[in-house]
Amino acid sequence: MNRRKLLTAGTLLAAGTTASTALAGEKKGAAAAPAALNIAGLGLPVIAGGRIRNYIFVTLRLTLGGGATAEQMRAKEPFFRDALVKAAHRTPFVVATDWTVVNGPAVCASVMRMAPGIAGAGKIASAEILVQTPRRRTGVRPV
């Protein structure tokens, strides 16, 4: 009986120290990375010649700044989606030679222009496009 308790205690002690060192490593890595909000599945139209030629589904990463937390900014996500889709319909983010991608710098610049009005001044530090997935990949060519 004593052997079983000793082996169990030794196993738990070894597992506990391994888990605590793993958690300490995660905390150090998490503190180094800035807070961010991902907006996935945002469908932006490719409009050319007054017609919708394709849709590009974009995943954006908004890097937060100015003491903003991801929980606070998740409530603002629908406002970012709405504003970006409206902007894409007004002035499309079209690449003239390819209808399967959007103009990444133009999308990010648009997000940064609208960010102070939606989230507050200084709450969004930067924006970047992580993924672009076109709805149609074939049969789409500029005229």
Side-chain angles (χ1 to χ4, degrees):
M1 193 80 138
N2 288 335
R3 272 194 221 165
R4 285 184 187 164
K5 288 181 181 178
L6 184 62
L7 289 174
T8 304
T11 305
L12 290 176
L13 181 65
T17 56
T18 305
S20 65
T21 56
L23 287 174
E26 287 178 10
K27 288 179 184 176
K28 289 178 186 174
L37 174 70
N38 289 346
I39 301 175
L42 181 63
L44 300 178
V46 174
I47 301 172
R51 297 179 57 198
I52 294 179
R53 304 296 182 164
N54 201 2
Y55 279 96
I56 310 298
F57 295 95
V58 175
T59 300
L60 290 171
R61 172 178 287 154
L62 304 179
T63 305
L64 306 179
T69 63
E71 292 80 26
Q72 292 171 337
M73 291 299 120
R74 273 193 206 103
K76 307 286 184 182
E77 181 180 345
F79 298 105
F80 278 107
R81 287 178 176 276
D82 183 56
L84 196 54
V85 169
K86 284 180 181 178
H89 279 280
R90 271 192 310 270
T91 55
F93 304 116
V94 177
V95 175
T97 58
D98 191 1
W99 289 346
T100 59
V101 294
V102 293
N103 186 350
V107 172
C108 294
S110 179
V111 169
M112 292 308 294
R113 276 193 305 272
M114 67 181 73
I118 295 172
K123 296 291 184 180
I124 304 296
S126 66
E128 66 177 315
I129 293 181
L130 298 178
V131 179
Q132 294 187 37
T133 307
R135 180 176 159 241
R136 291 179 28 195
R137 291 184 177 93
T138 61
V140 181
R141 57 180 178 252
V143 266

